Amino acid sequence: MTQRIPRSLLALLCMVLLSAVAPPAGGQKATGQEEATASSDTSGFEDIDGTTLKPAVLSYDATMKMGGKQVDLSSTLTVTATSTGETDVGGTDTWTLVNKIETPQGTNIDSLIMDRSALLPVSRHQRGRSRMDISYTTGPTSDKMKVSGEMKAGGQPKSISAELEGSTLAGGVHDVIALAAMPLNPGFRAALRVFSPQDQSTKRAEFEAAGMETVETPAGSFETYVVDLNVGDGYVTGTVHLRKEPPHYYVKWRTEVSSGRGPRTVTQTLSSMEMQAVPSGK
């Protein structure tokens, strides 16, 4: 039976689902050594081809557990072909991800706009129990990325400002969407950088295919690649099942987040999937 979870704990768990690779609010910033580790050996960005993604509406049944307590949620991830500015005068083709999570305490929405081909972030916005607005700018040589914005939790604003070394993802479900646009195979391995706005640090995310498996979900049966993940040198660990057919959208995942209060476990299983055509001119 699902147990009643205090609002403060529920808010923390929802933040974990919205920002899967980020430490809880109030966490310590990464040290220089951690930043250096995150910046090394992340050639996985070279394998990302965002043009292989397709517009889709993906719904999931979600469960979060911590300290022997559990809450059942639902989420919907929408992938939409969009553009920033006027494309005929120098605008940019983009994808917009909207991750909408329904909780007993209300709705949380995490929106991410990213470049159509390289999937580098353009801006990220959160609404719900916390609020965040971040923009990402890349220099002409793509060797630096600047992050600026503000987040607010509990009515307390916090400025976000960082300069990142090279290509970096934006957190949330950005890393598993990047995997969906990569050439997966049974021997697949990749490492990517992910920015955590909560403590304004960059973490190294490692992915390794552990085999293939048929997964039964409420949305149907899928042949999947089983990919193990390790973020922040063990801070987040788990397994994600990505459908074999490209784009490799995830059909199931289970992650465990370490904390001083004990591990927090998040599971998601695909409940429905609607693939759509890219609109003409997009």
Side-chain angles (χ1 to χ4, degrees), residues 100-119:
K100 183 178 180 181
I101 302 172
E102 300 292 346
T103 82
Q105 304 302 326
T107 302
N108 294 277
I109 299 176
D110 189 356
S111 301
L112 173 67
I113 299 175
M114 57 188 182
D115 174 78
R116 183 77 64 87
S117 58
L119 300 189

Side-chain angles (χ1 to χ4, degrees), residues 253-275:
W253 83 0
R254 182 184 186 279
T255 56
E256 186 171 282
V257 185
S258 301
S259 76
R261 299 181 180 180
R264 301 190 297 269
T265 302
V266 178
T267 61
Q268 290 192 80
T269 303
L270 187 68
S271 57
S272 69
M273 177 176 65
E274 179 183 350
M275 301 296 290

Side-chain angles (χ1 to χ4, degrees), residues 13 52 231 274:
L13 290 172
T52 62
V231 182
E274 179 183 350

Side-chain angles (χ1 to χ4, degrees), residues 84-92:
T84 58
E86 297 294 332
T87 56
D88 58 348
V89 291
T92 302

